[in-house]
Amino acid sequence: MYDVNSKNAQDFIHHGEILETLQYAEENKDNLELISKLIEKARKQKGLTHREASVLLACTDEEKNQEIFKLAKEIKENFYGNRIVMFAPLYLSNYCINGCTYCPYHMKNKTIPRKQLSQEEIAKEVIALQDLGHKRLALEAGEDPVHNTMDYYLESIKTIYGIKHKNGAIRRVNINIAATTVDNYRLLKEAEVGTYILFQETYNKENYELLHPTGPKGNYDYHTEAMDRAMEGGIDDVGLGVLFGLEQYRYEFAGLLMHAEHLEAAFGVGPHTISVPRLKDADDIDASEFKNGIDDDTFAKIVACIRISVPYTGMIISTRESQSVRERVLKLGVSQLSGGSKTTVGGYNEETESEGDSSQFELSDTRTLDEVVQWLIQMDYIPSFCTACYGLGRTGDRFMSLLKSGQIQNCCHPNALMTLQEYLMDYASPTTKALGEKLISKEIANVPSENVRKTVAENLRLIREMNRRDFRF
Ligand code: SF4
Ligand code: SF4
């Protein structure tokens, strides 16, 4: 039976409940009275249930869909303003014993070069990432108990936090590794990992098992219950995601929101982030062989519906998507963006690069970080390298209560300006620097509190003139 509080995957992601939800959504997709009521409910910015949100996702009325997009934009602006948090993935190892049919790192792929970075190589990669201007990383690795051990991860995190090169520093390390035990999550927490990210890939158990024919990842329950164990291990920021294209998107959307509802019900804190990757071609993967691909319009509708359903959850988009798709969904709800990414093991530094192409998927946005930063500034977004919450212990429910009270806005905006100023001083091209300085002087007037405005102005001066770094609210 469906039970949002249960610790069993098949109760909180209940197949029957999803099917009923999809049927309810289909029956009501033209019910304009209900759709109007749901849009009004979403306007209160307290979110929607998976059933309610599924009706809006299924809605076919053009006028109502435009209202949904408009509301998504408003909620995005209310919660996240014009700030976009920047990050980069760092691939540690592509050794993997799983058989995921959609990923080129699957064990049977003999054509892809395999590589695991040593600690010396990680240090070189991190210096290269710091020289680009990154402050926030997402570590990526396949599942392999021989190569990719917990000790290896813990040592890698220590290496990364320990590198101080010029004015650079990685201030937040998030990690995307295979589902593991409560004890291991506790060790990751002690190593000061930020968000634990694990994509569900698909919430449909039957399909999940077909897509994962071999390896430990094939255990649907163990994988789906990973976030519960992570939270029990003390990691209170967790990142959800599905790989759109594996299953029908409406099924995944309902499952994703049910997962978020479960975490909120069971632990009092929902997911910190939701990622929205779409299946892409890769070494021995032909995305067109998967029958559930979604077009850009549907993708934009999904992003908008997630935004209005879970306003408190950050949304992440990677360089899998093109510049134009990224531009479109930034307006509708995405709050975090990767830039200048490499999805190869050792890809940021010539000395560490593997021989041959070891990338996990083809990039659509291949611009440098500076180009992405400049592009954002030209669209009036503030690229933010802020990691303040983590440094100040504002994670999990502490973070969520600050966010829900609206107080977080008094931190994010000034922090975005100060970290952008750091970036401009240390890494930006002359054109980006000039555009960024202009944006900062305009945006400083939008800091509501006079006291905070004065402090920010003084900190900006210290960054520019005294080479000081790492101010935060
Ligand atoms: Fe391995 Fe992850 Fe790729 Fe599956 S998706 S083959 S677990 S790296
Ligand atoms: Fe994120 Fe916290 Fe910085 Fe705001 S203040 S951008 S929530 S880390």
Side-chain angles (χ1 to χ4, degrees):
M1 210 174 70
Y2 174 51
D3 180 359
V4 69
N5 289 300
S6 168
K7 293 292 173 77
N8 298 322
Q10 292 177 60
D11 295 337
F12 65 80
I13 306 292
H14 190 266
H15 179 62
E17 171 61 21
I18 297 184
L19 293 185
E20 277 180 34
T21 297
L22 299 189
Q23 193 184 340
Y24 174 74
E26 190 58 27
E27 285 164 7
N28 286 290
K29 67 180 184 191
D30 303 316
N31 182 342
L32 297 186
E33 197 187 330
L34 175 66
I35 289 165
S36 299
K37 271 192 197 153
L38 294 177
I39 293 175
E40 282 322 302
K41 183 178 175 192
R43 204 178 294 287
K44 296 193 176 113
Q45 309 191 70
K46 304 269 184 232
L48 294 173
T49 66
H50 61 277
R51 280 211 179 199
E52 294 166 339
S54 292
V55 173
L56 296 188
L57 184 65
C59 166
T60 50
D61 184 82
E62 189 44 35
E63 211 173 292
K64 291 291 165 208
N65 279 337
Q66 289 311 319
E67 275 184 50
I68 292 168
F69 283 126
K70 191 162 169 272
L71 180 59
K73 277 185 201 168
E74 284 167 21
I75 292 182
K76 162 85 201 289
E77 275 160 27
N78 276 349
F79 278 83
Y80 303 92
N82 56 346
R83 301 172 300 278
I84 304 291
V85 169
M86 308 302 299
F87 77 98
L90 172 58
Y91 280 73
L92 296 179
S93 165
N94 64 355
Y95 283 97
C96 191
I97 58 165
N98 284 309
C100 315
T101 57
Y102 48 84
C103 172
Y105 293 172
H106 67 85
M107 194 174 77
K108 288 194 184 137
N109 186 357
K110 302 293 178 212
T111 59
I112 200 160
R114 303 281 173 175
K115 184 172 170 81
Q116 182 192 39
L117 296 180
S118 66
Q119 297 306 313
E120 291 70 33
E121 288 173 321
I122 290 172
K124 285 181 182 161
E125 284 283 276
V126 170
I127 287 170
L129 281 156
Q130 289 186 3
D131 279 342
L132 294 174
H134 279 295
K135 300 281 186 274
R136 180 187 287 247
L137 298 185
L139 303 187
E140 311 276 343
E143 180 168 15
D144 184 323
V146 175
H147 289 92
N148 310 338
T149 61
M150 189 48 58
D151 284 347
Y152 171 70
Y153 294 134
L154 298 175
E155 204 186 342
S156 304
I157 295 165
K158 204 168 159 198
T159 299
I160 295 166
Y161 278 133
I163 294 168
K164 301 281 176 266
H165 161 73
K166 298 184 183 165
N167 278 338
I170 299 301
R171 299 175 184 150
R172 180 168 177 135
V173 176
N174 299 331
I175 195 163
N176 178 357
I177 54 166
T180 184
T181 60
V182 173
D183 285 345
N184 279 340
Y185 288 123
R186 200 166 283 126
L187 291 171
L188 287 170
K189 178 70 184 175
E190 283 165 15
E192 302 187 352
V193 89
T195 310
Y196 172 64
I197 303 157
L198 182 69
F199 296 161
Q200 179 63 31
E201 319 297 6
T202 174
Y203 282 98
N204 184 315
K205 182 171 185 285
E206 200 181 325
N207 198 6
Y208 182 95
E209 286 166 355
L210 289 173
L211 291 159
H212 304 94
T214 55
K217 191 170 170 181
N219 184 337
Y220 175 88
D221 289 357
Y222 189 75
H223 187 82
T224 311
E225 292 158 10
M227 295 313 190
D228 293 60
R229 292 193 301 280
M231 288 210 168
E232 280 163 32
I235 299 182
D236 43 11
D237 286 349
V238 299
L240 304 181
V242 292
L243 185 53
F244 284 105
L246 297 179
E247 173 57 60
Q248 291 181 16
Y249 69 90
R250 290 187 191 174
Y251 192 103
E252 305 294 32
F253 177 81
L256 198 52
L257 292 185
M258 285 163 76
H259 203 168
E261 286 162 16
H262 163 67
L263 294 174
E264 179 90 44
F267 298 97
V269 46
H272 191 67
T273 54
I274 289 180
S275 300
V276 286
R278 279 194 288 184
L279 190 64
K280 291 281 168 186
D281 286 341
D283 182 66
D284 72 338
I285 306 295
D286 178 358
S288 66
E289 283 177 10
F290 294 79
K291 302 289 172 233
N292 293 307
I294 49 172
D295 60 28
D296 292 350
D297 290 343
T298 308
F299 187 59
K301 179 90 186 280
I302 291 170
V303 170
C305 287
I306 293 176
R307 183 66 299 139
I308 67 175
S309 307
V310 279
Y312 310 117
T313 300
M315 278 180 82
I316 302 180
I317 195 146
S318 76
T319 47
R320 279 173 192 258
E321 297 297 340
S322 66
Q323 175 177 338
S324 61
V325 169
R326 277 157 51 108
E327 185 168 333
R328 186 170 179 193
V329 296
L330 277 177
K331 294 191 187 94
L332 297 173
V334 167
S335 55
Q336 285 192 34
L337 194 77
S338 51
S341 302
K342 304 284 181 204
T343 60
T344 48
V345 184
Y348 293 103
N349 181 313
E350 273 176 19
E351 286 174 44
T352 53
E353 195 148 22
S354 56
E355 281 176 32
D357 184 2
S358 66
S359 56
Q360 194 185 21
F361 52 83
E362 282 179 10
L363 300 183
S364 296
D365 188 344
T366 54
R367 292 172 296 166
T368 63
L369 178 62
D370 190 72
E371 286 167 335
V372 174
V373 167
Q374 194 180 119
W375 165 71
L376 288 171
I377 293 171
Q378 281 170 331
M379 293 188 296
D380 255 344
Y381 287 111
I382 313 170
S384 172
F385 294 86
C386 177
T387 56
C389 283
Y390 190 69
L392 295 168
R394 279 194 305 247
T395 61
D397 53 357
R398 285 193 60 201
F399 168 80
M400 281 296 171
S401 54
L402 205 64
L403 186 64
K404 288 179 184 176
S405 71
Q407 287 306 310
I408 195 85
Q409 310 298 355
N410 296 326
C411 310
C412 300
H413 184 254
N415 287 340
L417 297 181
M418 294 187 298
T419 56
L420 176 60
Q421 184 68 65
E422 291 185 350
Y423 176 83
L424 298 180
M425 297 307 293
D426 294 336
Y427 311 106
S429 65
T431 312
T432 305
K433 190 168 180 201
L435 291 166
E437 295 284 3
K438 224 166 121 190
L439 179 75
I440 291 172
S441 6
K442 187 178 84 177
E443 283 290 339
I444 198 161
N446 295 332
V447 176
S449 145
E450 199 186 329
N451 278 347
V452 176
R453 207 178 319 132
K454 274 190 192 153
T455 311
V456 175
E458 175 57 8
N459 291 349
L460 289 170
R461 188 188 70 77
L462 292 171
I463 294 168
R464 281 189 202 115
E465 295 172 15
M466 307 301 287
N467 201 27
R468 293 269 304 275
R469 298 291 179 267
D470 206 10
F471 293 102
R472 52 175 88 132
F473 286 94

PDB file of all heavy atoms in Angstrom, residues 280-309:
ATOM      1  N   LYS A 280      21.745  11.028 -23.316  1.00  0.00           N
ATOM      2  CA  LYS A 280      22.537  11.515 -24.452  1.00  0.00           C
ATOM      3  C   LYS A 280      23.352  10.371 -25.053  1.00  0.00           C
ATOM      4  O   LYS A 280      23.638   9.376 -24.385  1.00  0.00           O
ATOM      5  CB  LYS A 280      23.523  12.603 -23.973  1.00  0.00           C
ATOM      6  CG  LYS A 280      22.847  13.883 -23.543  1.00  0.00           C
ATOM      7  CD  LYS A 280      22.450  14.734 -24.720  1.00  0.00           C
ATOM      8  CE  LYS A 280      21.521  15.853 -24.289  1.00  0.00           C
ATOM      9  NZ  LYS A 280      20.982  16.634 -25.371  1.00  0.00           N
ATOM     10  N   ASP A 281      23.797  10.582 -26.311  1.00  0.00           N
ATOM     11  CA  ASP A 281      24.706   9.626 -26.942  1.00  0.00           C
ATOM     12  C   ASP A 281      26.027   9.583 -26.160  1.00  0.00           C
ATOM     13  O   ASP A 281      26.418  10.579 -25.556  1.00  0.00           O
ATOM     14  CB  ASP A 281      25.051  10.080 -28.375  1.00  0.00           C
ATOM     15  CG  ASP A 281      23.886   9.847 -29.321  1.00  0.00           C
ATOM     16  OD1 ASP A 281      22.999   9.050 -28.977  1.00  0.00           O
ATOM     17  OD2 ASP A 281      23.877  10.470 -30.399  1.00  0.00           O
ATOM     18  N   ALA A 282      26.691   8.437 -26.224  1.00  0.00           N
ATOM     19  CA  ALA A 282      28.018   8.319 -25.603  1.00  0.00           C
ATOM     20  C   ALA A 282      28.750   7.193 -26.309  1.00  0.00           C
ATOM     21  O   ALA A 282      28.240   6.639 -27.294  1.00  0.00           O
ATOM     22  CB  ALA A 282      27.876   8.041 -24.110  1.00  0.00           C
ATOM     23  N   ASP A 283      29.945   6.849 -25.784  1.00  0.00           N
ATOM     24  CA  ASP A 283      30.841   5.897 -26.462  1.00  0.00           C
ATOM     25  C   ASP A 283      30.114   4.738 -27.156  1.00  0.00           C
ATOM     26  O   ASP A 283      30.167   4.613 -28.355  1.00  0.00           O
ATOM     27  CB  ASP A 283      31.858   5.353 -25.452  1.00  0.00           C
ATOM     28  CG  ASP A 283      32.856   4.407 -26.093  1.00  0.00           C
ATOM     29  OD1 ASP A 283      33.643   4.883 -26.924  1.00  0.00           O
ATOM     30  OD2 ASP A 283      32.820   3.202 -25.797  1.00  0.00           O
ATOM     31  N   ASP A 284      29.433   3.880 -26.414  1.00  0.00           N
ATOM     32  CA  ASP A 284      28.718   2.793 -27.099  1.00  0.00           C
ATOM     33  C   ASP A 284      27.214   2.879 -26.836  1.00  0.00           C
ATOM     34  O   ASP A 284      26.514   1.881 -26.800  1.00  0.00           O
ATOM     35  CB  ASP A 284      29.293   1.422 -26.692  1.00  0.00           C
ATOM     36  CG  ASP A 284      28.916   1.045 -25.263  1.00  0.00           C
ATOM     37  OD1 ASP A 284      28.596   1.957 -24.468  1.00  0.00           O
ATOM     38  OD2 ASP A 284      28.933  -0.152 -24.941  1.00  0.00           O
ATOM     39  N   ILE A 285      26.747   4.091 -26.636  1.00  0.00           N
ATOM     40  CA  ILE A 285      25.324   4.315 -26.336  1.00  0.00           C
ATOM     41  C   ILE A 285      24.700   5.148 -27.456  1.00  0.00           C
ATOM     42  O   ILE A 285      25.202   6.218 -27.799  1.00  0.00           O
ATOM     43  CB  ILE A 285      25.148   5.079 -24.998  1.00  0.00           C
ATOM     44  CG1 ILE A 285      25.877   4.381 -23.850  1.00  0.00           C
ATOM     45  CG2 ILE A 285      23.674   5.308 -24.675  1.00  0.00           C
ATOM     46  CD1 ILE A 285      25.370   3.018 -23.480  1.00  0.00           C
ATOM     47  N   ASP A 286      23.596   4.642 -27.996  1.00  0.00           N
ATOM     48  CA  ASP A 286      22.839   5.392 -29.003  1.00  0.00           C
ATOM     49  C   ASP A 286      21.508   5.783 -28.355  1.00  0.00           C
ATOM     50  O   ASP A 286      20.625   4.938 -28.177  1.00  0.00           O
ATOM     51  CB  ASP A 286      22.627   4.501 -30.238  1.00  0.00           C
ATOM     52  CG  ASP A 286      21.809   5.209 -31.302  1.00  0.00           C
ATOM     53  OD1 ASP A 286      21.379   6.352 -31.054  1.00  0.00           O
ATOM     54  OD2 ASP A 286      21.604   4.609 -32.372  1.00  0.00           O
ATOM     55  N   ALA A 287      21.404   7.064 -27.991  1.00  0.00           N
ATOM     56  CA  ALA A 287      20.216   7.512 -27.240  1.00  0.00           C
ATOM     57  C   ALA A 287      18.920   7.269 -28.016  1.00  0.00           C
ATOM     58  O   ALA A 287      17.857   7.071 -27.417  1.00  0.00           O
ATOM     59  CB  ALA A 287      20.361   8.994 -26.885  1.00  0.00           C
ATOM     60  N   SER A 288      19.010   7.234 -29.354  1.00  0.00           N
ATOM     61  CA  SER A 288      17.772   7.058 -30.139  1.00  0.00           C
ATOM     62  C   SER A 288      17.194   5.651 -29.990  1.00  0.00           C
ATOM     63  O   SER A 288      16.058   5.390 -30.367  1.00  0.00           O
ATOM     64  CB  SER A 288      18.040   7.379 -31.615  1.00  0.00           C
ATOM     65  OG  SER A 288      18.922   6.421 -32.149  1.00  0.00           O
ATOM     66  N   GLU A 289      17.988   4.728 -29.440  1.00  0.00           N
ATOM     67  CA  GLU A 289      17.457   3.370 -29.227  1.00  0.00           C
ATOM     68  C   GLU A 289      16.500   3.322 -28.037  1.00  0.00           C
ATOM     69  O   GLU A 289      15.775   2.355 -27.849  1.00  0.00           O
ATOM     70  CB  GLU A 289      18.606   2.392 -28.985  1.00  0.00           C
ATOM     71  CG  GLU A 289      19.324   2.021 -30.261  1.00  0.00           C
ATOM     72  CD  GLU A 289      20.504   1.102 -30.014  1.00  0.00           C
ATOM     73  OE1 GLU A 289      20.655   0.602 -28.875  1.00  0.00           O
ATOM     74  OE2 GLU A 289      21.282   0.912 -30.973  1.00  0.00           O
ATOM     75  N   PHE A 290      16.516   4.353 -27.229  1.00  0.00           N
ATOM     76  CA  PHE A 290      15.603   4.409 -26.075  1.00  0.00           C
ATOM     77  C   PHE A 290      14.356   5.158 -26.535  1.00  0.00           C
ATOM     78  O   PHE A 290      14.454   6.209 -27.164  1.00  0.00           O
ATOM     79  CB  PHE A 290      16.274   5.109 -24.893  1.00  0.00           C
ATOM     80  CG  PHE A 290      17.438   4.330 -24.338  1.00  0.00           C
ATOM     81  CD1 PHE A 290      18.674   4.358 -24.964  1.00  0.00           C
ATOM     82  CD2 PHE A 290      17.295   3.551 -23.202  1.00  0.00           C
ATOM     83  CE1 PHE A 290      19.748   3.634 -24.478  1.00  0.00           C
ATOM     84  CE2 PHE A 290      18.370   2.820 -22.694  1.00  0.00           C
ATOM     85  CZ  PHE A 290      19.602   2.866 -23.331  1.00  0.00           C
ATOM     86  N   LYS A 291      13.204   4.605 -26.220  1.00  0.00           N
ATOM     87  CA  LYS A 291      11.975   5.090 -26.866  1.00  0.00           C
ATOM     88  C   LYS A 291      11.278   6.239 -26.136  1.00  0.00           C
ATOM     89  O   LYS A 291      10.252   6.716 -26.571  1.00  0.00           O
ATOM     90  CB  LYS A 291      10.959   3.926 -27.007  1.00  0.00           C
ATOM     91  CG  LYS A 291      11.509   2.755 -27.793  1.00  0.00           C
ATOM     92  CD  LYS A 291      11.651   3.095 -29.284  1.00  0.00           C
ATOM     93  CE  LYS A 291      12.373   2.020 -30.055  1.00  0.00           C
ATOM     94  NZ  LYS A 291      13.498   2.488 -30.835  1.00  0.00           N
ATOM     95  N   ASN A 292      11.815   6.656 -24.997  1.00  0.00           N
ATOM     96  CA  ASN A 292      11.071   7.632 -24.186  1.00  0.00           C
ATOM     97  C   ASN A 292      11.692   9.027 -24.166  1.00  0.00           C
ATOM     98  O   ASN A 292      11.491   9.783 -23.216  1.00  0.00           O
ATOM     99  CB  ASN A 292      10.921   7.107 -22.749  1.00  0.00           C
ATOM    100  CG  ASN A 292      10.038   5.881 -22.696  1.00  0.00           C
ATOM    101  OD1 ASN A 292       8.914   5.902 -23.190  1.00  0.00           O
ATOM    102  ND2 ASN A 292      10.554   4.798 -22.140  1.00  0.00           N
ATOM    103  N   GLY A 293      12.446   9.349 -25.197  1.00  0.00           N
ATOM    104  CA  GLY A 293      13.076  10.675 -25.275  1.00  0.00           C
ATOM    105  C   GLY A 293      12.026  11.782 -25.252  1.00  0.00           C
ATOM    106  O   GLY A 293      10.892  11.584 -25.688  1.00  0.00           O
ATOM    107  N   ILE A 294      12.397  12.939 -24.713  1.00  0.00           N
ATOM    108  CA  ILE A 294      11.435  14.056 -24.656  1.00  0.00           C
ATOM    109  C   ILE A 294      11.975  15.249 -25.421  1.00  0.00           C
ATOM    110  O   ILE A 294      13.170  15.500 -25.432  1.00  0.00           O
ATOM    111  CB  ILE A 294      11.096  14.464 -23.199  1.00  0.00           C
ATOM    112  CG1 ILE A 294      12.369  14.637 -22.364  1.00  0.00           C
ATOM    113  CG2 ILE A 294      10.136  13.491 -22.563  1.00  0.00           C
ATOM    114  CD1 ILE A 294      12.114  15.223 -21.006  1.00  0.00           C
ATOM    115  N   ASP A 295      11.051  15.983 -26.049  1.00  0.00           N
ATOM    116  CA  ASP A 295      11.477  17.149 -26.818  1.00  0.00           C
ATOM    117  C   ASP A 295      11.687  18.352 -25.887  1.00  0.00           C
ATOM    118  O   ASP A 295      11.374  18.298 -24.693  1.00  0.00           O
ATOM    119  CB  ASP A 295      10.469  17.473 -27.932  1.00  0.00           C
ATOM    120  CG  ASP A 295       9.090  17.767 -27.377  1.00  0.00           C
ATOM    121  OD1 ASP A 295       8.997  18.233 -26.222  1.00  0.00           O
ATOM    122  OD2 ASP A 295       8.095  17.536 -28.082  1.00  0.00           O
ATOM    123  N   ASP A 296      12.221  19.438 -26.460  1.00  0.00           N
ATOM    124  CA  ASP A 296      12.589  20.595 -25.640  1.00  0.00           C
ATOM    125  C   ASP A 296      11.372  21.247 -24.971  1.00  0.00           C
ATOM    126  O   ASP A 296      11.464  21.759 -23.851  1.00  0.00           O
ATOM    127  CB  ASP A 296      13.326  21.643 -26.492  1.00  0.00           C
ATOM    128  CG  ASP A 296      14.686  21.137 -26.937  1.00  0.00           C
ATOM    129  OD1 ASP A 296      15.130  20.078 -26.444  1.00  0.00           O
ATOM    130  OD2 ASP A 296      15.307  21.792 -27.798  1.00  0.00           O
ATOM    131  N   ASP A 297      10.226  21.242 -25.657  1.00  0.00           N
ATOM    132  CA  ASP A 297       9.027  21.864 -25.067  1.00  0.00           C
ATOM    133  C   ASP A 297       8.566  21.080 -23.840  1.00  0.00           C
ATOM    134  O   ASP A 297       8.209  21.664 -22.811  1.00  0.00           O
ATOM    135  CB  ASP A 297       7.884  21.930 -26.102  1.00  0.00           C
ATOM    136  CG  ASP A 297       8.192  22.948 -27.189  1.00  0.00           C
ATOM    137  OD1 ASP A 297       9.089  23.794 -26.977  1.00  0.00           O
ATOM    138  OD2 ASP A 297       7.553  22.883 -28.256  1.00  0.00           O
ATOM    139  N   THR A 298       8.556  19.765 -23.973  1.00  0.00           N
ATOM    140  CA  THR A 298       8.150  18.927 -22.828  1.00  0.00           C
ATOM    141  C   THR A 298       9.140  19.111 -21.683  1.00  0.00           C
ATOM    142  O   THR A 298       8.755  19.198 -20.512  1.00  0.00           O
ATOM    143  CB  THR A 298       8.109  17.441 -23.257  1.00  0.00           C
ATOM    144  OG1 THR A 298       7.317  17.342 -24.428  1.00  0.00           O
ATOM    145  CG2 THR A 298       7.544  16.560 -22.155  1.00  0.00           C
ATOM    146  N   PHE A 299      10.410  19.180 -22.040  1.00  0.00           N
ATOM    147  CA  PHE A 299      11.454  19.362 -21.026  1.00  0.00           C
ATOM    148  C   PHE A 299      11.217  20.675 -20.259  1.00  0.00           C
ATOM    149  O   PHE A 299      11.269  20.705 -19.024  1.00  0.00           O
ATOM    150  CB  PHE A 299      12.816  19.380 -21.727  1.00  0.00           C
ATOM    151  CG  PHE A 299      13.989  19.399 -20.788  1.00  0.00           C
ATOM    152  CD1 PHE A 299      14.182  18.385 -19.868  1.00  0.00           C
ATOM    153  CD2 PHE A 299      14.923  20.428 -20.850  1.00  0.00           C
ATOM    154  CE1 PHE A 299      15.272  18.405 -19.007  1.00  0.00           C
ATOM    155  CE2 PHE A 299      16.013  20.452 -19.995  1.00  0.00           C
ATOM    156  CZ  PHE A 299      16.191  19.435 -19.071  1.00  0.00           C
ATOM    157  N   ALA A 300      10.908  21.737 -20.992  1.00  0.00           N
ATOM    158  CA  ALA A 300      10.655  23.035 -20.352  1.00  0.00           C
ATOM    159  C   ALA A 300       9.425  22.942 -19.439  1.00  0.00           C
ATOM    160  O   ALA A 300       9.415  23.494 -18.327  1.00  0.00           O
ATOM    161  CB  ALA A 300      10.436  24.104 -21.419  1.00  0.00           C
ATOM    162  N   LYS A 301       8.419  22.214 -19.864  1.00  0.00           N
ATOM    163  CA  LYS A 301       7.206  22.077 -19.040  1.00  0.00           C
ATOM    164  C   LYS A 301       7.529  21.304 -17.750  1.00  0.00           C
ATOM    165  O   LYS A 301       7.050  21.662 -16.668  1.00  0.00           O
ATOM    166  CB  LYS A 301       6.138  21.340 -19.873  1.00  0.00           C
ATOM    167  CG  LYS A 301       4.824  21.085 -19.158  1.00  0.00           C
ATOM    168  CD  LYS A 301       3.830  22.195 -19.342  1.00  0.00           C
ATOM    169  CE  LYS A 301       2.578  22.023 -18.522  1.00  0.00           C
ATOM    170  NZ  LYS A 301       1.611  21.093 -19.094  1.00  0.00           N
ATOM    171  N   ILE A 302       8.365  20.277 -17.869  1.00  0.00           N
ATOM    172  CA  ILE A 302       8.754  19.507 -16.673  1.00  0.00           C
ATOM    173  C   ILE A 302       9.466  20.433 -15.681  1.00  0.00           C
ATOM    174  O   ILE A 302       9.162  20.441 -14.481  1.00  0.00           O
ATOM    175  CB  ILE A 302       9.668  18.323 -17.055  1.00  0.00           C
ATOM    176  CG1 ILE A 302       8.876  17.277 -17.833  1.00  0.00           C
ATOM    177  CG2 ILE A 302      10.302  17.688 -15.816  1.00  0.00           C
ATOM    178  CD1 ILE A 302       9.737  16.186 -18.467  1.00  0.00           C
ATOM    179  N   VAL A 303      10.413  21.208 -16.182  1.00  0.00           N
ATOM    180  CA  VAL A 303      11.174  22.122 -15.307  1.00  0.00           C
ATOM    181  C   VAL A 303      10.207  23.097 -14.623  1.00  0.00           C
ATOM    182  O   VAL A 303      10.278  23.310 -13.404  1.00  0.00           O
ATOM    183  CB  VAL A 303      12.264  22.884 -16.102  1.00  0.00           C
ATOM    184  CG1 VAL A 303      12.874  24.000 -15.272  1.00  0.00           C
ATOM    185  CG2 VAL A 303      13.351  21.912 -16.568  1.00  0.00           C
ATOM    186  N   ALA A 304       9.293  23.665 -15.380  1.00  0.00           N
ATOM    187  CA  ALA A 304       8.344  24.627 -14.800  1.00  0.00           C
ATOM    188  C   ALA A 304       7.473  23.956 -13.737  1.00  0.00           C
ATOM    189  O   ALA A 304       7.234  24.524 -12.661  1.00  0.00           O
ATOM    190  CB  ALA A 304       7.477  25.227 -15.904  1.00  0.00           C
ATOM    191  N   CYS A 305       7.024  22.742 -14.016  1.00  0.00           N
ATOM    192  CA  CYS A 305       6.150  22.054 -13.050  1.00  0.00           C
ATOM    193  C   CYS A 305       6.920  21.636 -11.795  1.00  0.00           C
ATOM    194  O   CYS A 305       6.367  21.671 -10.695  1.00  0.00           O
ATOM    195  CB  CYS A 305       5.472  20.840 -13.707  1.00  0.00           C
ATOM    196  SG  CYS A 305       4.185  21.329 -14.869  1.00  0.00           S
ATOM    197  N   ILE A 306       8.184  21.258 -11.946  1.00  0.00           N
ATOM    198  CA  ILE A 306       8.982  20.959 -10.743  1.00  0.00           C
ATOM    199  C   ILE A 306       9.137  22.248  -9.929  1.00  0.00           C
ATOM    200  O   ILE A 306       8.976  22.248  -8.711  1.00  0.00           O
ATOM    201  CB  ILE A 306      10.373  20.379 -11.110  1.00  0.00           C
ATOM    202  CG1 ILE A 306      10.232  18.994 -11.749  1.00  0.00           C
ATOM    203  CG2 ILE A 306      11.264  20.286  -9.862  1.00  0.00           C
ATOM    204  CD1 ILE A 306      11.547  18.376 -12.225  1.00  0.00           C
ATOM    205  N   ARG A 307       9.436  23.350 -10.628  1.00  0.00           N
ATOM    206  CA  ARG A 307       9.660  24.629  -9.923  1.00  0.00           C
ATOM    207  C   ARG A 307       8.458  25.010  -9.053  1.00  0.00           C
ATOM    208  O   ARG A 307       8.616  25.411  -7.907  1.00  0.00           O
ATOM    209  CB  ARG A 307       9.961  25.729 -10.952  1.00  0.00           C
ATOM    210  CG  ARG A 307      10.280  27.101 -10.412  1.00  0.00           C
ATOM    211  CD  ARG A 307      11.581  27.186  -9.616  1.00  0.00           C
ATOM    212  NE  ARG A 307      11.613  26.354  -8.440  1.00  0.00           N
ATOM    213  CZ  ARG A 307      12.653  25.631  -8.030  1.00  0.00           C
ATOM    214  NH1 ARG A 307      13.775  25.647  -8.671  1.00  0.00           N
ATOM    215  NH2 ARG A 307      12.591  24.870  -6.946  1.00  0.00           N
ATOM    216  N   ILE A 308       7.253  24.886  -9.607  1.00  0.00           N
ATOM    217  CA  ILE A 308       6.101  25.331  -8.812  1.00  0.00           C
ATOM    218  C   ILE A 308       5.677  24.280  -7.782  1.00  0.00           C
ATOM    219  O   ILE A 308       4.993  24.606  -6.830  1.00  0.00           O
ATOM    220  CB  ILE A 308       4.905  25.762  -9.695  1.00  0.00           C
ATOM    221  CG1 ILE A 308       4.315  24.590 -10.454  1.00  0.00           C
ATOM    222  CG2 ILE A 308       5.315  26.858 -10.671  1.00  0.00           C
ATOM    223  CD1 ILE A 308       3.068  24.964 -11.238  1.00  0.00           C
ATOM    224  N   SER A 309       6.127  23.043  -7.953  1.00  0.00           N
ATOM    225  CA  SER A 309       5.727  21.978  -7.015  1.00  0.00           C
ATOM    226  C   SER A 309       6.636  21.902  -5.800  1.00  0.00           C
ATOM    227  O   SER A 309       6.192  21.535  -4.715  1.00  0.00           O
ATOM    228  CB  SER A 309       5.741  20.619  -7.721  1.00  0.00           C
ATOM    229  OG  SER A 309       4.971  20.675  -8.877  1.00  0.00           O
TER     230      SER A 309
END
